[in-house]
Amino acid sequence: DTAVSQTPKYLVTQMGNDKSIKCEQNLGHDTMYWYKQDSKKFLKIMFSYNNKELIINETVPNRFSPKSPDKAHLNLHINSLELGDSAVYFCASTSARLYSNQPQHFGDGTRLSIL
Amino acid sequence: GDSVTQMEGPVTLSEEAFLTINCTYTATGYPSLFWYVQYPGEGLQLLLKATKADDKGSNKGFEATYRKETTSFHLEKGSVQVSDSAVYFCALKGSGGYNKLIFGAGTRLAVHP
Protein backbone atom coordinates (compact mmCIF):
# COMPACT_ATOMS: atom_id res chain seq x y z
CA ASP A 1 0.00 0.00 0.00
CA THR A 2 2.93 2.30 -0.77
CA ALA A 3 1.67 5.83 -1.30
CA VAL A 4 4.37 7.22 -3.63
CA SER A 5 6.55 4.61 -5.27
CA GLN A 6 9.57 5.15 -7.49
CA THR A 7 11.43 2.70 -9.65
CA PRO A 8 14.19 1.85 -9.76
CA LYS A 9 15.57 2.48 -6.28
CA TYR A 10 19.14 2.39 -7.57
CA LEU A 11 20.38 3.15 -11.08
CA VAL A 12 24.02 2.83 -12.08
CA THR A 13 24.87 3.66 -15.67
CA GLN A 14 27.52 5.02 -17.99
CA MET A 15 27.95 8.62 -19.03
CA GLY A 16 26.14 9.37 -22.27
CA ASN A 17 23.34 6.84 -21.75
CA ASP A 18 19.62 7.62 -21.67
CA LYS A 19 17.59 6.46 -18.68
CA SER A 20 14.12 6.82 -17.20
CA ILE A 21 12.81 6.90 -13.64
CA LYS A 22 9.17 6.14 -12.96
CA CYS A 23 6.88 7.42 -10.24
CA GLU A 24 3.38 6.38 -9.29
CA GLN A 25 1.12 7.56 -6.51
CA ASN A 26 -2.03 5.85 -5.27
CA LEU A 27 -3.24 8.72 -3.09
CA GLY A 28 -5.58 10.21 -5.65
CA HIS A 29 -3.47 13.37 -5.78
CA ASP A 30 -3.53 15.60 -8.81
CA THR A 31 -0.16 17.32 -8.46
CA MET A 32 3.21 15.61 -8.72
CA TYR A 33 6.81 16.79 -8.49
CA TRP A 34 10.39 15.83 -9.19
CA TYR A 35 13.15 17.01 -6.82
CA LYS A 36 16.90 16.52 -7.06
CA GLN A 37 19.00 15.99 -3.92
CA ASP A 38 22.72 16.47 -4.41
CA SER A 39 25.57 14.88 -2.49
CA LYS A 40 25.34 17.57 0.20
CA LYS A 41 21.68 16.71 0.76
CA PHE A 42 20.47 19.95 -0.80
CA LEU A 43 16.97 19.52 -2.29
CA LYS A 44 15.76 21.50 -5.25
CA ILE A 45 12.56 21.28 -7.22
CA MET A 46 12.84 20.41 -10.90
CA PHE A 47 9.33 19.97 -12.28
CA SER A 48 5.70 19.83 -11.27
CA TYR A 49 2.61 18.59 -13.06
CA ASN A 50 -0.99 19.29 -12.16
CA ASN A 51 -3.50 17.00 -13.86
CA LYS A 52 -0.97 16.10 -16.55
CA GLU A 53 -0.14 19.73 -17.23
CA LEU A 54 3.38 21.08 -16.62
CA ILE A 55 3.14 23.93 -14.09
CA ILE A 56 6.66 24.25 -12.72
CA ASN A 57 9.77 24.00 -14.83
CA GLU A 58 12.83 25.23 -12.99
CA THR A 59 16.13 25.90 -14.70
CA VAL A 60 16.89 22.33 -15.64
CA PRO A 61 18.89 21.19 -18.70
CA ASN A 62 16.61 20.16 -21.54
CA ARG A 63 18.20 16.71 -21.37
CA PHE A 64 15.64 16.18 -18.60
CA SER A 65 12.12 15.59 -19.86
CA PRO A 66 9.22 14.79 -17.55
CA LYS A 67 6.18 12.96 -18.86
CA SER A 68 2.84 12.49 -17.16
CA PRO A 69 0.64 9.92 -18.92
CA ASP A 70 -2.06 10.39 -16.28
CA LYS A 71 -2.36 12.21 -12.99
CA ALA A 72 -1.15 9.18 -11.00
CA HIS A 73 2.14 8.89 -12.87
CA LEU A 74 5.06 11.21 -13.47
CA ASN A 75 8.13 9.82 -15.19
CA LEU A 76 11.50 11.45 -15.70
CA HIS A 77 13.58 10.73 -18.77
CA ILE A 78 17.19 11.86 -18.91
CA ASN A 79 19.18 11.94 -22.14
CA SER A 80 22.96 11.92 -22.52
CA LEU A 81 23.67 11.44 -18.83
CA GLU A 82 26.52 13.44 -17.34
CA LEU A 83 28.60 12.96 -14.20
CA GLY A 84 26.85 15.92 -12.58
CA ASP A 85 23.52 14.14 -12.87
CA SER A 86 24.56 11.78 -10.07
CA ALA A 87 22.11 12.47 -7.26
CA VAL A 88 19.05 11.14 -5.51
CA TYR A 89 15.84 12.02 -7.35
CA PHE A 90 12.65 12.24 -5.33
CA CYS A 91 9.12 12.14 -6.58
CA ALA A 92 6.37 13.78 -4.52
CA SER A 93 2.67 14.37 -4.76
CA THR A 94 -0.03 16.46 -3.14
CA SER A 95 -3.75 16.90 -3.31
CA ALA A 96 -3.22 20.63 -3.32
CA ARG A 97 -4.96 22.90 -5.62
CA LEU A 98 -2.70 25.76 -6.52
CA TYR A 99 -3.11 27.82 -3.35
CA SER A 100 -3.58 25.06 -0.78
CA ASN A 101 -1.34 24.29 2.19
CA GLN A 102 -1.56 20.53 1.94
CA PRO A 103 1.79 18.83 2.49
CA GLN A 104 3.65 16.90 -0.14
CA HIS A 105 4.16 13.14 0.17
CA PHE A 106 7.54 11.86 -0.97
CA GLY A 107 8.75 8.62 -2.46
CA ASP A 108 11.86 6.85 -1.15
CA GLY A 109 14.06 8.24 -3.91
CA THR A 110 16.07 6.90 -6.83
CA ARG A 111 19.83 7.00 -6.38
CA LEU A 112 21.39 7.65 -9.77
CA SER A 113 25.12 7.04 -10.13
CA ILE A 114 26.95 7.91 -13.34
CA LEU A 115 30.19 6.09 -14.03
CA GLY B 1 13.29 35.18 -4.25
CA ASP B 2 12.11 33.02 -1.39
CA SER B 3 14.77 31.19 0.60
CA VAL B 4 15.32 29.13 3.75
CA THR B 5 18.44 29.11 5.91
CA GLN B 6 19.11 26.35 8.42
CA MET B 7 21.88 25.93 10.94
CA GLU B 8 24.68 23.80 9.64
CA GLY B 9 25.17 20.34 10.98
CA PRO B 10 25.96 17.87 12.04
CA VAL B 11 24.36 18.27 15.42
CA THR B 12 25.54 15.60 17.84
CA LEU B 13 23.66 15.06 21.09
CA SER B 14 23.39 12.53 23.85
CA GLU B 15 20.10 10.77 24.41
CA GLU B 16 17.59 12.85 26.42
CA ALA B 17 19.32 16.12 25.55
CA PHE B 18 17.38 19.18 24.40
CA LEU B 19 17.34 19.85 20.66
CA THR B 20 17.08 23.10 18.76
CA ILE B 21 17.60 23.38 15.02
CA ASN B 22 17.39 26.95 13.82
CA CYS B 23 15.53 27.91 10.66
CA THR B 24 14.96 31.37 9.23
CA TYR B 25 13.27 32.32 6.00
CA THR B 26 12.91 35.08 3.46
CA ALA B 27 9.62 35.31 1.62
CA THR B 28 7.10 37.78 0.34
CA GLY B 29 3.58 37.57 1.60
CA TYR B 30 2.53 34.88 4.03
CA PRO B 31 4.30 31.57 3.43
CA SER B 32 3.45 28.25 5.01
CA LEU B 33 6.30 26.58 6.87
CA PHE B 34 7.19 22.91 7.20
CA TRP B 35 9.69 20.60 8.81
CA TYR B 36 10.47 17.37 6.97
CA VAL B 37 12.61 14.50 8.29
CA GLN B 38 14.67 12.07 6.23
CA TYR B 39 15.76 8.86 7.93
CA PRO B 40 18.75 7.02 6.42
CA GLY B 41 17.93 5.50 3.06
CA GLU B 42 14.37 6.81 3.06
CA GLY B 43 12.37 9.61 1.50
CA LEU B 44 11.19 12.73 3.24
CA GLN B 45 8.35 12.60 5.73
CA LEU B 46 6.38 15.57 6.92
CA LEU B 47 7.15 16.15 10.58
CA LEU B 48 5.04 19.24 11.27
CA LYS B 49 3.73 22.40 9.67
CA ALA B 50 2.39 25.87 10.44
CA THR B 51 0.40 27.95 8.03
CA LYS B 52 0.15 31.35 9.71
CA ALA B 53 1.95 33.56 12.18
CA ASP B 54 2.04 32.34 15.80
CA ASP B 55 0.85 28.86 14.80
CA LYS B 56 2.68 26.05 16.59
CA GLY B 57 3.19 22.79 14.74
CA SER B 58 3.86 19.70 16.83
CA ASN B 59 4.36 15.98 16.27
CA LYS B 60 6.24 13.14 18.00
CA GLY B 61 7.49 15.51 20.70
CA PHE B 62 8.87 18.01 18.18
CA GLU B 63 7.56 21.57 18.09
CA ALA B 64 8.09 24.67 15.99
CA THR B 65 6.42 28.07 16.20
CA TYR B 66 5.90 30.34 13.20
CA ARG B 67 7.43 33.68 14.22
CA LYS B 68 6.74 36.33 11.63
CA GLU B 69 8.52 39.09 13.56
CA THR B 70 11.81 37.16 13.46
CA THR B 71 11.01 35.21 10.25
CA SER B 72 11.90 32.01 12.07
CA PHE B 73 10.57 28.47 12.50
CA HIS B 74 13.01 26.80 14.88
CA LEU B 75 12.56 23.09 15.58
CA GLU B 76 12.73 21.93 19.21
CA LYS B 77 12.44 18.71 21.16
CA GLY B 78 12.79 18.41 24.89
CA SER B 79 14.40 14.97 25.04
CA VAL B 80 15.85 13.35 21.93
CA GLN B 81 16.18 9.62 21.34
CA VAL B 82 18.62 7.61 19.27
CA SER B 83 15.76 6.94 16.84
CA ASP B 84 15.55 10.69 16.10
CA SER B 85 18.88 10.51 14.25
CA ALA B 86 18.09 11.77 10.75
CA VAL B 87 18.39 14.78 8.47
CA TYR B 88 15.88 17.54 9.16
CA PHE B 89 14.74 19.96 6.46
CA CYS B 90 12.99 23.25 6.98
CA ALA B 91 10.86 24.29 4.00
CA LEU B 92 8.47 27.01 2.95
CA LYS B 93 5.68 27.26 0.47
CA GLY B 94 5.23 30.76 -0.81
CA SER B 95 1.92 32.51 -0.81
CA GLY B 96 1.90 32.39 -4.59
CA GLY B 97 0.49 29.46 -6.46
CA TYR B 98 1.78 26.05 -7.52
CA ASN B 99 2.59 24.75 -4.03
CA LYS B 100 6.33 24.84 -4.71
CA LEU B 101 8.46 23.94 -1.69
CA ILE B 102 11.71 25.78 -1.05
CA PHE B 103 14.00 23.71 1.17
CA GLY B 104 16.80 24.62 3.50
CA ALA B 105 20.09 22.76 3.19
CA GLY B 106 19.14 20.19 5.83
CA THR B 107 20.65 19.56 9.27
CA ARG B 108 21.96 16.15 10.18
CA LEU B 109 21.21 15.08 13.76
CA ALA B 110 23.12 12.25 15.40
CA VAL B 111 21.94 11.08 18.82
CA HIS B 112 24.19 8.80 20.87
CA PRO B 113 23.13 6.55 23.75
Short mmCIF file of all heavy atoms in Angstrom, two decimals, chain B residues 42-76:
data_model
loop_
_atom_site.label_atom_id
_atom_site.label_comp_id
_atom_site.label_asym_id
_atom_site.label_seq_id
_atom_site.Cartn_x
_atom_site.Cartn_y
_atom_site.Cartn_z
N GLU B 42 15.81 6.63 3.30
CA GLU B 42 14.37 6.81 3.06
C GLU B 42 14.07 8.16 2.42
O GLU B 42 14.93 9.02 2.29
CB GLU B 42 13.59 6.67 4.37
CG GLU B 42 13.73 5.31 5.02
CD GLU B 42 12.88 5.19 6.28
OE1 GLU B 42 12.03 6.06 6.52
OE2 GLU B 42 13.08 4.21 7.01
N GLY B 43 12.82 8.33 2.03
CA GLY B 43 12.37 9.61 1.50
C GLY B 43 12.03 10.57 2.62
O GLY B 43 12.21 10.27 3.80
N LEU B 44 11.54 11.72 2.24
CA LEU B 44 11.19 12.73 3.24
C LEU B 44 9.80 12.48 3.80
O LEU B 44 8.88 12.12 3.07
CB LEU B 44 11.22 14.12 2.61
CG LEU B 44 12.58 14.77 2.48
CD1 LEU B 44 13.35 14.15 1.34
CD2 LEU B 44 12.46 16.25 2.28
N GLN B 45 9.66 12.70 5.08
CA GLN B 45 8.35 12.60 5.73
C GLN B 45 8.04 13.93 6.38
O GLN B 45 8.90 14.54 7.00
CB GLN B 45 8.37 11.52 6.82
CG GLN B 45 8.76 10.14 6.36
CD GLN B 45 8.90 9.20 7.55
OE1 GLN B 45 8.27 9.37 8.58
NE2 GLN B 45 9.72 8.17 7.38
N LEU B 46 6.78 14.34 6.24
CA LEU B 46 6.38 15.57 6.92
C LEU B 46 6.41 15.36 8.42
O LEU B 46 5.83 14.41 8.94
CB LEU B 46 4.97 15.97 6.48
CG LEU B 46 4.41 17.20 7.16
CD1 LEU B 46 5.17 18.45 6.72
CD2 LEU B 46 2.92 17.36 6.87
N LEU B 47 7.09 16.24 9.13
CA LEU B 47 7.15 16.15 10.58
C LEU B 47 6.10 17.07 11.21
O LEU B 47 5.33 16.66 12.07
CB LEU B 47 8.54 16.55 11.06
CG LEU B 47 8.82 16.45 12.55
CD1 LEU B 47 8.61 15.04 13.07
CD2 LEU B 47 10.25 16.92 12.86
N LEU B 48 6.05 18.32 10.76
CA LEU B 48 5.04 19.24 11.27
C LEU B 48 4.96 20.45 10.35
O LEU B 48 5.83 20.65 9.51
CB LEU B 48 5.36 19.68 12.71
CG LEU B 48 6.75 20.24 13.00
CD1 LEU B 48 6.82 21.72 12.68
CD2 LEU B 48 7.12 20.03 14.46
N LYS B 49 3.90 21.22 10.53
CA LYS B 49 3.73 22.40 9.67
C LYS B 49 3.01 23.50 10.44
O LYS B 49 2.37 23.27 11.46
CB LYS B 49 2.94 22.05 8.41
CG LYS B 49 1.46 21.76 8.66
CD LYS B 49 0.72 21.57 7.34
CE LYS B 49 -0.78 21.38 7.58
NZ LYS B 49 -1.53 21.24 6.32
N ALA B 50 3.13 24.72 9.92
CA ALA B 50 2.39 25.87 10.44
C ALA B 50 2.06 26.78 9.27
O ALA B 50 2.90 27.01 8.41
CB ALA B 50 3.22 26.62 11.49
N THR B 51 0.84 27.23 9.22
CA THR B 51 0.40 27.95 8.03
C THR B 51 0.20 29.44 8.25
O THR B 51 0.00 30.18 7.29
CB THR B 51 -0.91 27.35 7.49
OG1 THR B 51 -1.89 27.40 8.53
CG2 THR B 51 -0.69 25.91 7.05
N LYS B 52 0.25 29.90 9.50
CA LYS B 52 0.15 31.35 9.71
C LYS B 52 0.90 31.75 10.96
O LYS B 52 1.25 30.91 11.79
CB LYS B 52 -1.32 31.77 9.81
CG LYS B 52 -2.09 31.18 10.94
CD LYS B 52 -3.55 31.64 10.88
CE LYS B 52 -4.33 31.21 12.11
NZ LYS B 52 -4.43 29.76 12.26
N ALA B 53 1.15 33.03 11.08
CA ALA B 53 1.95 33.56 12.18
C ALA B 53 1.39 33.12 13.53
O ALA B 53 0.17 33.09 13.73
CB ALA B 53 2.01 35.08 12.10
N ASP B 54 2.32 32.77 14.42
CA ASP B 54 2.04 32.34 15.80
C ASP B 54 1.48 30.92 15.89
O ASP B 54 1.27 30.42 17.00
CB ASP B 54 1.12 33.30 16.53
CG ASP B 54 1.72 34.70 16.63
OD1 ASP B 54 2.95 34.80 16.77
OD2 ASP B 54 0.96 35.68 16.53
N ASP B 55 1.24 30.28 14.76
CA ASP B 55 0.85 28.86 14.80
C ASP B 55 2.00 28.04 15.37
O ASP B 55 3.17 28.31 15.08
CB ASP B 55 0.56 28.34 13.38
CG ASP B 55 -0.89 28.45 13.01
OD1 ASP B 55 -1.70 28.96 13.83
OD2 ASP B 55 -1.24 28.01 11.89
N LYS B 56 1.67 27.00 16.13
CA LYS B 56 2.68 26.05 16.59
C LYS B 56 2.36 24.70 15.98
O LYS B 56 1.26 24.17 16.18
CB LYS B 56 2.69 25.96 18.11
CG LYS B 56 3.71 24.93 18.64
CD LYS B 56 3.60 24.72 20.14
CE LYS B 56 4.25 25.83 20.89
NZ LYS B 56 4.33 25.56 22.36
N GLY B 57 3.33 24.15 15.24
CA GLY B 57 3.19 22.79 14.74
C GLY B 57 3.84 21.84 15.73
O GLY B 57 4.86 22.18 16.35
N SER B 58 3.26 20.65 15.91
CA SER B 58 3.86 19.70 16.83
C SER B 58 3.56 18.28 16.37
O SER B 58 2.50 18.00 15.79
CB SER B 58 3.35 19.90 18.25
OG SER B 58 1.96 19.72 18.30
N ASN B 59 4.52 17.38 16.65
CA ASN B 59 4.36 15.98 16.27
C ASN B 59 5.51 15.20 16.88
O ASN B 59 6.67 15.63 16.83
CB ASN B 59 4.38 15.83 14.74
CG ASN B 59 4.09 14.41 14.28
OD1 ASN B 59 3.44 13.64 14.98
ND2 ASN B 59 4.54 14.08 13.10
N LYS B 60 5.22 14.05 17.46
CA LYS B 60 6.24 13.14 18.00
C LYS B 60 7.17 13.83 18.98
O LYS B 60 8.36 13.50 19.07
CB LYS B 60 7.08 12.54 16.86
CG LYS B 60 6.29 11.72 15.86
CD LYS B 60 7.22 11.16 14.77
CE LYS B 60 6.43 10.38 13.75
NZ LYS B 60 7.29 9.86 12.66
N GLY B 61 6.68 14.80 19.72
CA GLY B 61 7.49 15.51 20.70
C GLY B 61 8.26 16.69 20.15
O GLY B 61 8.86 17.45 20.89
N PHE B 62 8.23 16.86 18.82
CA PHE B 62 8.87 18.01 18.18
C PHE B 62 7.86 19.16 18.10
O PHE B 62 6.67 18.95 17.93
CB PHE B 62 9.32 17.66 16.76
CG PHE B 62 10.47 16.70 16.69
CD1 PHE B 62 10.24 15.33 16.66
CD2 PHE B 62 11.77 17.16 16.65
CE1 PHE B 62 11.30 14.44 16.59
CE2 PHE B 62 12.84 16.28 16.57
CZ PHE B 62 12.60 14.91 16.54
N GLU B 63 8.40 20.38 18.20
CA GLU B 63 7.56 21.57 18.09
C GLU B 63 8.30 22.64 17.30
O GLU B 63 9.54 22.70 17.33
CB GLU B 63 7.26 22.15 19.48
CG GLU B 63 6.38 21.33 20.35
CD GLU B 63 6.07 22.03 21.66
OE1 GLU B 63 6.81 22.97 22.02
OE2 GLU B 63 5.10 21.65 22.32
N ALA B 64 7.52 23.49 16.64
CA ALA B 64 8.09 24.67 15.99
C ALA B 64 7.00 25.73 15.93
O ALA B 64 5.85 25.42 15.63
CB ALA B 64 8.61 24.35 14.59
N THR B 65 7.37 26.97 16.21
CA THR B 65 6.42 28.07 16.20
C THR B 65 6.76 29.05 15.09
O THR B 65 7.91 29.47 14.95
CB THR B 65 6.41 28.81 17.56
OG1 THR B 65 6.08 27.87 18.58
CG2 THR B 65 5.39 29.93 17.55
N TYR B 66 5.78 29.41 14.32
CA TYR B 66 5.90 30.34 13.20
C TYR B 66 6.00 31.76 13.76
O TYR B 66 5.02 32.31 14.25
CB TYR B 66 4.66 30.17 12.32
CG TYR B 66 4.60 30.90 11.00
CD1 TYR B 66 3.70 30.48 10.02
CD2 TYR B 66 5.36 32.02 10.72
CE1 TYR B 66 3.59 31.12 8.80
CE2 TYR B 66 5.26 32.67 9.51
CZ TYR B 66 4.38 32.22 8.55
OH TYR B 66 4.27 32.88 7.35
N ARG B 67 7.20 32.34 13.69
CA ARG B 67 7.43 33.68 14.22
C ARG B 67 7.65 34.64 13.06
O ARG B 67 8.72 34.67 12.45
CB ARG B 67 8.68 33.70 15.11
CG ARG B 67 8.63 32.73 16.28
CD ARG B 67 7.86 33.31 17.43
NE ARG B 67 7.95 32.45 18.61
CZ ARG B 67 7.00 32.39 19.53
NH1 ARG B 67 5.88 33.10 19.39
NH2 ARG B 67 7.16 31.62 20.59
N LYS B 68 6.62 35.44 12.78
CA LYS B 68 6.74 36.33 11.63
C LYS B 68 7.68 37.49 11.95
O LYS B 68 8.41 37.97 11.08
CB LYS B 68 5.36 36.85 11.23
CG LYS B 68 5.36 37.57 9.90
CD LYS B 68 3.97 37.71 9.34
CE LYS B 68 3.97 38.49 8.03
NZ LYS B 68 4.74 37.76 6.99
N GLU B 69 7.70 37.93 13.21
CA GLU B 69 8.52 39.09 13.56
C GLU B 69 10.01 38.80 13.41
O GLU B 69 10.79 39.70 13.11
CB GLU B 69 8.19 39.58 14.97
CG GLU B 69 8.51 38.59 16.08
CD GLU B 69 7.42 37.57 16.33
OE1 GLU B 69 6.50 37.43 15.48
OE2 GLU B 69 7.48 36.90 17.37
N THR B 70 10.39 37.53 13.62
CA THR B 70 11.81 37.16 13.46
C THR B 70 12.02 36.28 12.23
O THR B 70 13.14 35.81 12.01
CB THR B 70 12.31 36.40 14.70
OG1 THR B 70 11.44 35.28 14.94
CG2 THR B 70 12.35 37.30 15.92
N THR B 71 10.98 36.09 11.44
CA THR B 71 11.01 35.21 10.25
C THR B 71 11.72 33.90 10.57
O THR B 71 12.67 33.48 9.88
CB THR B 71 11.64 35.89 9.02
OG1 THR B 71 13.01 36.24 9.30
CG2 THR B 71 10.86 37.11 8.62
N SER B 72 11.24 33.23 11.62
CA SER B 72 11.90 32.01 12.07
C SER B 72 10.89 30.89 12.30
O SER B 72 9.68 31.14 12.49
CB SER B 72 12.68 32.26 13.35
OG SER B 72 11.80 32.59 14.41
N PHE B 73 11.39 29.66 12.27
CA PHE B 73 10.57 28.47 12.50
C PHE B 73 11.49 27.40 13.08
O PHE B 73 11.72 26.36 12.50
CB PHE B 73 9.94 28.03 11.17
CG PHE B 73 8.84 27.01 11.29
CD1 PHE B 73 7.74 27.23 12.13
CD2 PHE B 73 8.88 25.84 10.56
CE1 PHE B 73 6.72 26.30 12.22
CE2 PHE B 73 7.86 24.90 10.64
CZ PHE B 73 6.79 25.12 11.47
N HIS B 74 12.00 27.67 14.27
CA HIS B 74 13.01 26.80 14.88
C HIS B 74 12.36 25.50 15.38
O HIS B 74 11.30 25.52 16.01
CB HIS B 74 13.68 27.49 16.06
CG HIS B 74 14.32 28.80 15.70
ND1 HIS B 74 14.99 29.01 14.52
CD2 HIS B 74 14.36 29.98 16.39
CE1 HIS B 74 15.44 30.25 14.48
NE2 HIS B 74 15.08 30.86 15.60
N LEU B 75 13.06 24.40 15.16
CA LEU B 75 12.56 23.09 15.58
C LEU B 75 13.13 22.76 16.96
O LEU B 75 14.34 22.93 17.18
CB LEU B 75 12.99 22.01 14.57
CG LEU B 75 12.51 20.60 14.85
CD1 LEU B 75 10.99 20.48 14.67
CD2 LEU B 75 13.22 19.60 13.92
N GLU B 76 12.29 22.27 17.86
CA GLU B 76 12.73 21.93 19.21
C GLU B 76 12.16 20.59 19.65
O GLU B 76 11.07 20.21 19.23
CB GLU B 76 12.30 23.02 20.22
CG GLU B 76 12.91 24.37 19.98
CD GLU B 76 12.49 25.38 21.01
OE1 GLU B 76 11.43 25.19 21.63
OE2 GLU B 76 13.21 26.37 21.20
#
